[in-house]
Amino acid sequence: NTYAIVGIGLRTNAGDITGVTFNGVSMTELQQLNKNASTMTNWLFGLAGPTTGNVVITGDTSLAAEVVVSTYTGVAQTGSTGTVATATGDSDTPSVNVTSATGELVVDIVGWNAGGDGIAGASQTKRSEGVTGNGISMDAATSDEAGATTTTMSWSITAGGGWLTIGVPLKPAVAAGGGNFLTMGVGN
């Protein structure tokens, strides 16, 4: 009952990610979000039942990107995700409200104009943070948090500016006997 999430943060004036594979299997694009006339873009890709292997990203390979791969266990293999939520803004407090439920796990990626650190909200577990290179900078970070009716994925960035964020709930698998379970076996 595994599920893989690939989050990509990209800062560019041109270019695109055209696909992601996990061990040769195409991943589903859950969401692409642009800000500031496409100078910043985040993507989330997902795949139910991944096997161990490499992640390959296709598109404009001359672009600098921040990429994180996380795997989770105990995720439903059909209907693995709920409704994706997005937000953009210009401040030092990025956030997005994700419709979810108890027993789910909400995963997010946030990107912002390079500079400063990203501090995840108090109930979130920060999984990664990095800065793109190649002279074109954008910070990106990922986290997850236990679901509730509405789960707010919030961040504080020490250098305010333009930001964009995507959040999605992962649905738990149903265990034998009817109970739900979702555990994190996260590999970044």
Side-chain angles (χ1 to χ4, degrees):
N1 292 345
T2 58
Y3 194 82
I5 291 277
V6 173
I8 304 168
L10 181 70
R11 180 156 184 188
T12 181
N13 290 316
D16 195 14
I17 302 297
T18 56
V20 178
T21 61
F22 196 112
N23 199 28
V25 178
S26 291
M27 298 185 77
T28 300
E29 182 179 304
L30 301 174
Q31 186 70 47
Q32 175 184 352
L33 180 63
N34 299 309
K35 172 146 176 66
N36 296 338
S38 299
T39 61
M40 293 191 301
T41 306
N42 279 354
W43 284 266
L44 274 183
F45 286 84
L47 178 66
T51 58
T52 303
N54 293 325
V55 172
V56 176
I57 299 168
T58 56
D60 186 342
T61 58
S62 67
L63 303 173
E66 169 66 18
V67 177
V68 63
V69 179
S70 300
T71 57
Y72 298 88
T73 58
V75 179
Q77 297 299 283
T78 58
S80 304
T81 62
T83 303
V84 175
T86 64
T88 62
D90 293 295
S91 67
D92 60 0
T93 54
S95 69
V96 63
N97 292 321
V98 181
T99 301
S100 59
T102 301
E104 297 179 352
L105 185 74
V106 177
V107 178
D108 77 329
I109 182 170
V110 61
W112 65 94
N113 289 329
D117 292 319
I119 302 162
S123 299
Q124 293 163 231
T125 300
K126 184 176 178 179
R127 298 293 176 190
S128 69
E129 180 177 343
V131 179
T132 62
N134 222 14
I136 305 170
S137 294
M138 174 182 156
D139 284 90
T142 61
S143 72
D144 50 55
E145 177 178 348
T149 302
T150 300
T151 304
T152 300
M153 304 301 284
S154 61
W155 292 83
S156 175
I157 51 178
T158 57
W163 55 265
L164 64 167
T165 184
I166 303 170
V168 64
L170 299 181
K171 303 287 186 177
V174 176
N180 293 338
F181 66 97
L182 180 63
T183 58
M184 294 169 287
V186 180
N188 293 332

